[in-house]
Amino acid sequence: MHIHLDALGGVAGDMFAAALLDAFPEHREGVCASVRAVDARIACTLHPHNDGILRGARFSVSGPEVEPEHRQGHRHDHHDHHHDHGHDHAHDHTHAHPHGHRPWSKIRAALTDADLAPAVRAHALGIFGHLADAEARVHGIAVDAVAFHEVGAFDSIADIVAAAHLIAALGARSWSVSALPLGSGRVRTQHGPLPVPAPATTLLLDGFATLDDGIPGERVTPTGAAILRHLCGGDPGRGRPRGILGRTGIGFGTKVLPGLSNCLRALVLEAGAAAGPGRRDLAVIAFEVDDQSGEDLAMGLDRLRAEPGILDVVQAPVIGKKGRMMAHIQALVRPESLEAAIAACFRETTTIGLRYHPVAGAVLDREARTVEQAGRPVRVKIVDRPGGRTAKAEADDARDHAGHAARAALRREAERRALDQQPEEER
């Protein structure tokens, strides 16, 4: 299962929880139980919401220490905009900790001591850890010296614990997010007015695609950004993959945006059943070389073929500028190995520039078998084609046979035996 987040209105902790609970309402009791495990005085509710355009849900938190402005949304200094995505953008790093100010060390201890499932605790600590690291960088202090104001309030802690519970319970294989609206203006914090996005948010969103839809206000909160960093940090530029659309959910913030639904949508994608060629995402790297000897280039390309994540490398002669003969190189790469493959191309060849782009691939089911033929092992690839199974013997395993006819006979016999050979699990 892959979950893609459409950040139409923005991203905040309560919007994330609401969107996933709208898609998976069966997890509502579990979420509330995890929140209560951190503090029994905190109650969370999911209630339906319709903004006149879309139907979805809101996630709200109540308790003795949840201040009214945390539930309703802070006011911005810029044109008096209301911040209603959540309640998590202001921070305090003083030694005194009045109401709502909590050191990261105390929050970490509370989450560690709470009766949470190990996976939920790990996700909650991970999300908070991203926030603490960003705040420490912004203010030039040690991570353990960080103390939160709004993010330290119980409702923000509840949002993060709710998100952690859902991430653990759903067990999605991967996550992605659309381009994020950055917003504009200023946000009121304990440090005074700060620009939108808040400094910590900008650090957390490093590498994510953004857009400007012309609507001001804080659109991605630090808590929302920390959740995205936790889920997509290894590949923030990942696009929405292919898949069969299953459940969907919409989570609303409380702010009213002009002409736009203030919501986050979750799309749940399942892998399709194996019918016909399998689909896979790939990347292609292409470049030309005109100043490397053929001998050295051949060795370099062999080394590229041995790189993990590079599936194949081909070359072809082309004519470039000034009528020069060049070698055109193409490498087929797994997307997650793209950066390492690019580095290897620069290392093993003399190119000083290359192109790359994502592609979609189709692949037939295949398996490798080894048969004994003429007193030697011969590797054979069996492929399930639409018209039936075919077999292809590895040419290198016939290398020692002198003469074309002898090599061809050995390969044909090995292929016949491989097709007749049943795997042990089929016997």
Side-chain angles (χ1 to χ4, degrees):
M1 177 174 65
H2 176 92
I3 298 180
H4 179 76
L5 303 172
D6 270 333
L8 180 63
V11 184
D14 56 344
M15 295 169 73
F16 178 84
L20 291 179
L21 285 173
D22 190 44
F24 298 92
E26 65 271 24
H27 292 294
R28 180 170 55 184
E29 289 304 317
V31 165
C32 293
S34 287
V35 171
R36 288 194 302 269
V38 177
D39 193 308
R41 299 170 296 171
I42 304 298
C44 56
T45 59
L46 182 75
H47 44 93
H49 179 72
N50 190 318
D51 68 349
I53 303 173
L54 297 173
R55 181 219 63 81
R58 277 183 178 165
F59 180 77
S60 60
V61 176
S62 60
E65 292 194 40
V66 178
E67 299 177 4
E69 77 258 25
H70 289 157
R71 296 197 300 271
Q72 301 300 324
H74 296 289
R75 300 180 71 79
H76 287 192
D77 285 354
H78 180 74
H79 298 307
D80 206 30
H81 292 305
H82 290 276
H83 164 61
D84 296 313
H85 285 314
H87 20 261
D88 54 19
H89 51 247
H91 318 278
D92 187 342
H93 308 282
T94 62
H95 292 290
H97 305 292
H99 179 71
H101 293 64
R102 288 183 177 82
W104 160 227
S105 58
K106 289 188 176 180
I107 295 174
R108 184 173 56 210
L111 293 172
T112 301
D113 294 339
D115 186 19
L116 294 169
V120 176
R121 180 183 297 107
H123 286 301
L125 289 170
I127 295 168
F128 257 117
H130 288 301
L131 278 167
D133 288 343
E135 281 299 310
R137 290 172 60 192
V138 166
H139 296 280
I141 60 175
V143 172
D144 280 344
V146 169
F148 298 112
H149 179 57
E150 280 82 359
V151 177
F154 278 101
D155 50 347
S156 290
I157 295 173
D159 287 347
I160 290 176
V161 172
H165 181 100
L166 288 163
I167 294 166
L170 297 177
R173 173 179 51 85
S174 53
W175 298 75
S176 58
V177 65
S178 66
L180 299 167
L182 285 186
S184 62
R186 295 180 180 180
V187 62
R188 179 177 294 170
T189 77
Q190 291 297 301
H191 299 292
L194 291 177
V196 171
T201 302
T202 61
L203 294 178
L204 290 165
L205 295 183
D206 181 35
F208 285 86
T210 64
L211 59 84
D212 180 5
D213 58 10
I215 299 176
E218 186 175 45
R219 307 290 295 282
V220 180
T221 67
T223 292
I227 292 171
L228 295 179
R229 176 57 56 185
H230 181 68
L231 294 174
C232 311
D235 189 8
R238 178 190 177 100
R240 187 177 66 202
R242 299 173 183 267
I244 298 173
L245 183 61
R247 303 193 193 194
T248 64
I250 292 177
F252 284 97
T254 55
K255 180 177 181 178
V256 177
L257 300 178
L260 184 69
S261 289
N262 181 26
C263 66
L264 174 69
R265 182 174 67 165
L267 301 177
V268 182
L269 302 172
E270 300 286 355
R279 308 295 176 181
R280 59 179 178 174
D281 294 325
L282 300 166
V284 170
I285 299 173
F287 58 93
E288 287 74 40
V289 172
D290 66 356
D291 58 351
Q292 188 171 2
S293 72
E295 182 182 48
D296 190 66
L297 179 60
M299 289 188 289
L301 297 186
D302 279 343
R303 292 182 65 86
L304 287 182
R305 293 184 183 98
E307 284 285 318
I310 295 183
L311 303 177
D312 198 7
V313 179
V314 298
Q315 68 180 110
V318 296
I319 298 177
K321 60 185 179 181
K322 301 180 181 180
R324 293 176 181 171
M325 289 298 299
M326 300 190 298
H328 172 72
I329 313 298
Q330 282 199 167
L332 194 62
V333 182
R334 292 189 178 94
E336 62 271 19
S337 303
L338 181 59
E339 292 303 321
I342 289 172
C345 289
F346 285 127
R347 184 177 64 246
E348 299 296 343
T349 74
T350 59
T351 187
I352 60 174
L354 51 77
R355 289 99 49 204
Y356 62 88
H357 61 275
V359 297
V363 61
L364 295 173
D365 287 339
R366 80 284 302 276
E367 65 175 292
R369 295 180 183 175
T370 300
V371 299
E372 290 289 330
Q373 184 63 31
R376 70 187 64 209
V378 179
R379 294 164 293 169
V380 181
K381 184 182 296 180
I382 308 294
V383 180
D384 288 322
R385 297 185 179 277
R389 280 190 161 189
T390 61
K392 178 69 169 63
E394 182 64 45
D396 285 349
D397 292 344
R399 186 189 300 272
D400 293 343
H401 272 48
H404 165 73
R407 291 192 296 271
L410 182 143
R411 290 197 299 267
R412 284 197 301 270
E413 182 60 21
E415 291 162 357
R416 183 193 65 78
R417 294 186 63 184
L419 286 173
D420 291 342
Q421 184 183 82
Q422 284 187 328
E424 290 185 4
E425 62 268 19
E426 296 178 6
R427 295 175 184 172

